Amino acid sequence: MQKQLLLGDEAIAQGGIDAGMSGIYAYPGTPSTEITEFVKASKEAKEKNISANWAANEKTAAEAALGMSYAGKRTMTCMKHVGLNVAADPFMNSAITGVNGGMIYVVADDPSMHSSQNEQDSRVFGKFALIPILEPSSQQEAYDMVHYGFDLSEKLGVPVLMRITTRLAHSRSGVQRKNHVKQNDFKLPEDLRQFVLLPSIARKQYKKLLNNQDNFLKESNNSTYNKYINGDDKSLGIIACGLGYNYLMENYPDRKVPNPVVKVSQYPLPVDMINKLYDECDEILVIEDGYPVVEEMLKGPLNKGKKIHGRLDGYIPRDGELNPNIVGEALGFPKTKGEEIPSLVAMRPPSLCKGCSHIDAYLALNEALEPYTKGRVFSDIGCYTLGALPPFESINTCVDMGASITMAKGAADSGMFPAVAVIGDSTFTHSGITGLLDAVNDKSSITVVIVDNFTTAMTGGQPSSALNRIGNICKGLGVEEKHIRVMNPLKKHHEENVKIFKEELEYEGVSVCIPTRECIQTLNRKMRAKAKAKK
Amino acid sequence: MKKKDIILAGVGGQGILSIAATIGYAAVQSGLYLKQAEVHGMSQRGGDVQSHLRLSENEVASDLIPKGKADMILSVEPMESLRYLPYLHKEGWLITNSKPFINIPNYPEENLIFDEIKKIENHVLLDAETIAKDLGTSKAANMVILGAAFPFLDLEFEKFEEALKFIFGKKGQDLVNLNTKALKAGRQITENKLDKR
């Protein structure tokens, strides 16, 4: 079969389809979104009856995947790095329950924060949960490792974490597919108490996980994805993790590194290879994208052995994504660079689309808030976060999914009035509902603005999980009906919308304003499809 | 040919990925290795976007082009072509559309941008919209720009024709023909410039 040109994300999706996966569960988040989108759009996946699902959030996604594993089937759950914080509860505990069918957590980190609020390294989480980690260095490895990861998960009886980064997720290359694997038959766990984490059982299960660590290490030492590559120049030994290996190779056009190299793509660290490298070489350089995870492990707090170079001693910058230049300089190569960027080149930040409903919502909200001092609007994660930038400058916070409502509540409880939250429909169902319930129960004086555009817009228009039910959810949570105000964010309704905002800002209790108008991107897409169908 | 490293530049929504897809298809059909790093997510909303497209006879290592090593900057917007100059090799080519995409209040004066572009010895500055409009639709502007890059790509023209058939074939032969014409018009501009040298 000819190679297919696939994004790293798509390679993982195709890997799942080919490796006997029965279901995939995810909440969209850059750079992980395209994995589930690919499976949802795949004809093969449909023919194979693979269940592809957008969940309300990463936690519900991971738990559904764990349920599928319980039933003996192979399953995947995908999220961005901060999504793993949301799914941390099932993630940590599924390491203790173990799996029945193979289970892979695919987590996409975003070093340099291209589309994120931090650059946390999920390998730390994998180590925390004490499970094996796979870190592919190429699209082909990402594809192959899905097959390998399912086998490994079933062999070792634990979920496996596959850690990728933005660069691999969103880069395209040729991928050679493997033979199809049949899906597992339905099969209950042999021990029906395996998944019952009552303390007495959990203690046993945890010991089992601890005893299993030696096996994980053995797999890493023998893995074909970890390699010891000999080199004559023993003054420096190089450990290159994941994509770091590519940046290393890029600096040697003949692909021959003079120094010994350990390529790491599976954890726990292949200690046998690292030991050999340490013994043979005078100093060590660690090349890893993200946090200095491996570097810290080798150095330890005392740092008394041989010199270990990396992000902690400035050989490589402490933060930000790796690239071939950074790695080249760490290796002592001269800087390469073309001309400077001319000073007239202006910044071009992303902005709300022309015709976006958030624009009208913010213009009305800004006007309604004019009588008060600035700094009262808590917001959230979505396209509307762009309202922090000129010309709107409408919002004052963006922390984590759902934090707008709960932070507004805390500020209101301290006496701040009015306190406003701005949150999107999809973020509201992801993590806002419980916070609103808290506010209702405590009768906190907050005005919640749910900007409802019927979709998860920033990640490309995935479905909103409570489409047309936002108002009813608020009512069900106990928000008074007369303080649930649906509005139409259009220029021609501006005066009316300002008036509604003003009334609710002055209400001492929980009020919810819902500016409701479809995302201009999804609307245009639908119109184009309709026009095409007519032809 | 050993390798071609190309920075594709533009503004989110201008369709640089359609150019990348066309070159990518032609390259794969020519038996080359390829890696292509794209920008997805927030920046696609009217922000600056770029794609690193790497073609080679040998397997490509890094998904990113090292600074100072790009053989070409291919841009659908003049100011954006300048943003990636640190990547361009001294002998590399800068090929850009001349029509500005203005969605920021502090967009610099056009002529100053053109002056900067002209400082790069190897450059092609072309008005792709007008050329495409003369052929029938300004929508083919991206193919005019790609055509202008053709003489430096070391790929056969037939492979590009095949790529257009593959990409636009479903939408009808007329569109394939139009885009092929646009490709040829762009190619002509660069070839004329090279003849004059």
Side-chain angles (χ1 to χ4, degrees), chain B residues 126-168:
Chain B
L126 75 163
D127 182 353
E129 254 83 7
T130 305
I131 296 165
K133 220 179 267 169
D134 289 346
L135 293 172
T137 167
S138 60
K139 278 185 187 163
N142 281 1
M143 284 305 129
V144 176
I145 297 164
L146 173 54
F150 171 78
F152 308 110
L153 290 173
D154 283 347
L155 292 165
E156 288 167 29
F157 197 76
E158 292 78 57
K159 299 291 180 199
F160 281 91
E161 289 178 311
E162 283 172 31
L164 294 180
K165 258 182 222 150
F166 177 77
I167 293 166
F168 297 108

Side-chain angles (χ1 to χ4, degrees), chain A residues 271-284:
Chain A
V271 175
D272 290 357
M273 295 179 202
I274 306 280
N275 236 330
K276 186 177 169 202
L277 191 79
Y278 189 88
D279 287 345
E280 276 188 354
C281 301
D282 301 338
E283 299 181 4
I284 304 286

Side-chain angles (χ1 to χ4, degrees), chain A residues 435-454:
Chain A
L436 185 56
L437 182 61
D438 282 348
V440 169
N441 288 345
D442 295 345
K443 299 190 171 52
S444 304
S445 285
I446 61 170
T447 304
V448 178
V449 182
I450 304 175
V451 282
D452 186 358
N453 60 2
F454 308 152

Side-chain angles (χ1 to χ4, degrees), chain B residues 131 135 143-144 146-148 150 157 161 164 177-191:
Chain B
I131 296 165
L135 293 172
M143 284 305 129
V144 176
L146 173 54
F150 171 78
F157 197 76
E161 289 178 311
L164 294 180
N177 293 344
L178 178 69
N179 279 292
T180 309
K181 258 193 227 164
L183 203 64
K184 283 180 179 159
R187 174 186 178 179
Q188 199 60 51
I189 286 178
T190 301
E191 284 178 348

Side-chain angles (χ1 to χ4, degrees), chain A residues 2-3 5 7 30 34 114-115 137-139 167-168 170-174 243 246-247 249-250 255 321-325 336-342 344-353 382-383 385-386 457-461 521 532, chain B residues 5 11 24-25 28-29 33-43 45-48 50 54 59-69 77 79-80 82-88 90 101-104 106-108 112-113 116 120 171:
Chain A
Q2 217 196 345
K3 281 189 179 179
L5 266 186
L7 294 175
T30 314
E34 291 83 357
H114 300 282
S115 286
S137 67
S138 68
Q139 292 76 357
R167 197 53 61 199
L168 180 65
H170 289 164
S171 177
R172 214 174 276 283
S173 191
L243 285 185
N246 300 347
Y247 301 134
M249 286 300 156
E250 183 67 31
R255 304 288 182 256
E321 185 187 6
L322 290 179
N323 62 45
N325 293 90
T336 64
K337 208 176 175 194
E339 302 284 331
E340 293 292 330
I341 303 173
L344 62 79
V345 174
M347 299 266 282
R348 202 192 293 261
S351 53
L352 291 172
C353 306
C383 285
T385 316
L386 294 170
M458 199 169 69
T459 46
Q521 295 284 345
K532 207 172 152 194
Chain B
D5 287 333
V11 180
Y25 187 88
V28 169
Q29 292 302 314
Y33 286 97
L34 173 154
K35 271 191 181 174
Q36 182 201 328
E38 304 173 359
V39 171
H40 294 211
M42 207 177 210
S43 299
R45 303 267 172 271
D48 54 86
Q50 95 301 95
R54 314 194 69 187
E59 215 159 324
V60 181
S62 163
D63 297 87
L64 293 172
I65 300 169
K67 283 184 182 151
K69 298 281 178 78
E77 208 277 347
M79 183 178 81
E80 292 308 320
L82 296 169
R83 200 183 296 281
Y84 305 97
L85 283 183
Y87 285 92
L88 191 63
K90 279 192 176 61
F101 185 96
I102 303 177
N103 64 345
I104 47 171
N106 55 337
Y107 194 92
L112 297 179
I113 293 177
E116 289 292 342
I120 306 298
K171 296 176 184 171

Side-chain angles (χ1 to χ4, degrees), chain B residues 48-130:
Chain B
D48 54 86
V49 291
Q50 95 301 95
S51 172
H52 290 223
L53 180 57
R54 314 194 69 187
L55 317 176
S56 175
E57 280 174 350
N58 304 313
E59 215 159 324
V60 181
S62 163
D63 297 87
L64 293 172
I65 300 169
K67 283 184 182 151
K69 298 281 178 78
D71 301 291
M72 184 192 297
I73 293 172
L74 187 56
S75 180
V76 298
E77 208 277 347
M79 183 178 81
E80 292 308 320
S81 75
L82 296 169
R83 200 183 296 281
Y84 305 97
L85 283 183
Y87 285 92
L88 191 63
H89 191 273
K90 279 192 176 61
E91 279 139 38
W93 279 81
L94 186 151
I95 297 161
T96 182
N97 190 13
S98 63
K99 186 160 180 224
F101 185 96
I102 303 177
N103 64 345
I104 47 171
N106 55 337
Y107 194 92
E109 206 183 304
E110 263 176 60
N111 285 328
L112 297 179
I113 293 177
F114 296 155
D115 288 347
E116 289 292 342
I117 290 168
K118 285 170 189 162
K119 279 186 199 166
I120 306 298
E121 201 194 329
N122 293 335
H123 75 267
V124 180
L125 179 65
L126 75 163
D127 182 353
E129 254 83 7
T130 305

